[in-house]
Amino acid sequence: MKANEFIKKFGFDETKRVVRLTNGNSWADHYDIKNDAIGTAGTKFSKELCDKNDNFVFISDLKRLIESHKLVNNLCGLEEAKSYLSLSNVRIDGLKQAITDVESCL
């Protein structure tokens, strides 16, 4: 499952709970939705497989979306972030991608 679809289906609180399950374990790269378990890919597992399979989601994608939401929220929400990006001569690294990420979860 794509990370933005996971957020749409299960919500932001559940997404944060899943990421917390990794507890800093660098080996954990996907979440098994059906079994509520964190796993490691191995050679036959890939992001593409996760995206196509509704039972799995990639942890790194969930983390990226959480960070995108934090960045946009720190700028007082989506509309303010868009306004800031369009009016400012200063570009915040990743803001455009963060806005795109947040919009994909709506």
Side-chain angles (χ1 to χ4, degrees), residues 4 6 8 10 14 22 31 35-36 46 51 57-58 63 71 77 85 97 99:
N4 60 332
F6 183 88
K8 287 178 187 179
F10 297 104
E14 177 66 4
T22 64
Y31 173 64
N35 296 308
D36 190 29
S46 68
D51 287 351
V57 64
F58 240 51
K63 287 179 180 179
L71 177 58
L85 188 61
Q97 181 62 50
I99 290 169

Side-chain angles (χ1 to χ4, degrees), residues 46-59:
S46 68
K47 181 181 178 328
E48 291 76 26
L49 180 62
C50 272
D51 287 351
K52 293 177 184 177
N53 188 322
D54 285 343
N55 292 322
F56 304 102
V57 64
F58 240 51
I59 298 294

Side-chain angles (χ1 to χ4, degrees), residues 8-25:
K8 287 178 187 179
K9 185 172 182 176
F10 297 104
F12 201 61
D13 288 338
E14 177 66 4
T15 303
K16 290 188 285 188
R17 183 194 74 82
V18 167
V19 169
R20 281 192 304 268
L21 285 176
T22 64
N23 197 24
N25 293 321

